[in-house]
Amino acid sequence: MKEIEVWLQTFAPGSRTPIHRHSCEEVFIVMKGSGTLFLAPSSHGKIPGEPHEYPIFQNSTFHIPVNDCHQIWNTNEIEDLQVLVVISRPPVKVFLYQDWSMPHTAAKMKYPYYWDEECFHSPRLKDEL
Ligand SMILES: *[C@@H]1O[C@H](CO)[C@@H](O)[C@H](O)[C@H]1NC(C)=O
């Protein structure tokens, strides 16, 4: 699709996205489970800085401002966290951070970025492409 990209993503207990940012809008709807959103509000300094922690629950909807560094973490030890994700203007350039004090200039750019990279590179999927 040209204007938006939509996918369903499941995080096993304890799993998480990298700390990252992108210059697109992003909306999450929590379908199942719970977890924590780490968000460094307006990451305009040299580094993302200490993130705010927001608990997320089933049926919650939240929005990530453009270019704010964030991380979704399934902090629930038992249940999967399943989210429906919508982004604008795909494909996006994603900037990855090792930690919250990594300078923006050191963030690693990935483009194109596959949200399901591991599945995407499995031999079976490749055959179908
Ligand atoms: C989420 O919404 C569904 C459907 O309305 C409802 O059955 C469920 O109890 C809600 N869950 C929570 C945690 O509010």
Side-chain angles (χ1 to χ4, degrees), residues 12-123:
S15 67
R16 55 188 188 263
T17 66
I19 298 167
H20 67 286
R21 69 177 169 85
H22 34 60
S23 59
C24 63
E25 297 172 294
E26 186 170 38
V27 172
F28 287 87
I29 300 160
V30 181
M31 309 301 289
K32 274 200 292 208
S34 63
T36 307
L37 162 67
F38 295 87
L39 179 68
S42 58
S43 319
H44 297 312
K46 289 199 162 89
I47 62 167
E50 202 55 36
H52 291 181
E53 289 182 31
Y54 301 94
I56 58 175
F57 302 100
Q58 186 184 36
N59 301 339
S60 59
T61 301
F62 53 94
H63 164 251
I64 308 295
V66 169
N67 270 323
D68 278 7
C69 290
H70 58 285
Q71 179 177 43
I72 309 295
W73 194 322
N74 183 357
T75 43
N76 185 309
E77 284 168 16
I78 299 152
E79 264 190 292
D80 280 353
L81 168 66
Q82 190 177 64
V83 290
L84 185 70
V85 193
V86 183
I87 57 159
S88 64
R89 301 188 315 209
V92 294
K93 284 181 183 150
V94 173
F95 293 85
L96 302 170
Y97 295 73
Q98 255 152 26
D99 54 59
W100 298 96
S101 57
M102 187 169 178
H104 292 303
T105 49
K108 199 172 147 210
M109 201 248 283
K110 276 205 123 187
Y111 179 81
Y113 187 81
Y114 304 109
W115 305 98
D116 55 349
E117 197 155 57
E118 279 165 38
C119 316
F120 191 83
H121 290 297
S122 76

